[in-house]
Amino acid sequence: MEKLTGKNQTIQLTDNSILKKQYLSQNKELFGSEIFLDLISKSNKQKTVKIHDSWYNELEHEFYKPYWVSLTKKVRNLYKLNTVYPEPKKMFNAFDSTPFNNVKVVIVGQDPYHGEGQAHGLSFSVKNDTKIPPSLNNIFKELKEDLGISIPKNGNLQSWADQGVLLLNAVLTVEANQANSHKDIGWEIFTKKVIEVISQKLENVVFLLWGKQAQSFTSIIDEKKHHILKSVHPSPLSAYNGFFGCKHFSQTNTYLESKQRNPINWSL
């Protein structure tokens, strides 16, 4: 192997230093002090995972289990080696946008959008000024048919999350241009626990389960305490087989109001 000397050695050391700094910065955003770095933002408690305090309080025990240790190791390496969405600081956006005790509705998606500039940690949602994907467009079509709300030009569902709609993907990361690429690496264990905790500790939550993957969570939801609405996935491949006409948005608000909870303003 050729030995680097002088200027060439300096250039290599500088490049390695930059790469290391970028990687540590990315993982700092992703897993906080879990890799022995300080948290980006101050919290009321020392956390091993950068997630909203209300969720950390409910899920802390998960972050020490073997599956989580294995999952985080895999995810860190995947972010290091490949293009992965969403950006690390948005991975737990659903939890940060909808604190635990604010949850009124849960919409379960599959995994993040795998196109550049789309995913930002909320299921079915895309960033501002991004073309609306077909499944989300079908959601808007049903919303118009159900409640007469005009189809928006923007696909960012942040306002839903702010009102208590937990926009949760079953898998929280994906590689660029490879749908379901992070399926079965461990995320499903975590999101199953999220659903279980909601079911056990909260009341009168509406679960919108669209498609077989989302409906696989049915058995862990207490239907005596909560309300489940099911249909096929809003994908163009299945929307005409039961999603269109399901009226889940109006049914959700009817249920919430019957439990003296504020309805969701679904307009964007």
Side-chain angles (χ1 to χ4, degrees), residues 76-198:
R76 282 196 297 269
N77 287 333
L78 288 167
Y79 268 97
K80 180 180 178 181
L81 299 172
N82 306 309
T83 300
V84 176
Y85 301 127
E87 58 186 306
K89 66 182 179 181
K90 291 293 186 180
M91 181 182 298
F92 298 119
N93 190 23
F95 303 94
D96 296 333
S97 297
T98 311
F100 180 71
N101 288 313
N102 291 1
V103 175
K104 295 192 288 187
V105 181
V106 179
I107 299 180
V108 180
Q110 296 179 349
D111 63 343
Y113 294 119
H114 54 81
E116 183 178 358
Q118 292 182 303
H120 63 129
L122 304 178
S123 64
F124 293 103
S125 180
V126 290
K127 295 179 181 179
N128 292 325
D129 303 318
T130 300
K131 183 179 178 181
I132 297 174
S135 292
L136 181 55
N137 193 51
N138 284 340
I139 290 172
F140 289 153
K141 287 180 179 178
E142 173 57 24
L143 193 54
K144 180 178 180 181
E145 181 66 25
D146 186 9
L147 293 173
I149 296 174
S150 298
I151 296 177
K153 296 180 180 180
N154 170 41
N156 191 332
L157 307 181
Q158 184 66 50
S159 67
W160 294 5
D162 294 341
Q163 296 177 75
V165 181
L166 180 66
L167 296 166
L168 177 68
N169 278 315
V171 175
L172 300 189
T173 55
V174 69
E175 290 182 34
N177 306 313
Q178 297 184 51
N180 285 318
S181 52
H182 290 183
K183 186 176 184 291
D184 297 327
I185 68 171
W187 281 124
E188 294 90 341
I189 302 172
F190 175 67
T191 49
K192 179 180 179 181
K193 175 55 65 173
V194 171
I195 298 294
E196 286 181 344
V197 169
I198 293 171

Side-chain angles (χ1 to χ4, degrees), residues 8 44-45 67-68 75 139 154 164 173 189 217 237:
N8 289 335
N44 293 331
K45 63 188 299 182
Y67 88 85
W68 182 263
V75 172
I139 290 172
N154 170 41
T173 55
I189 302 172
F217 293 112
L237 298 175

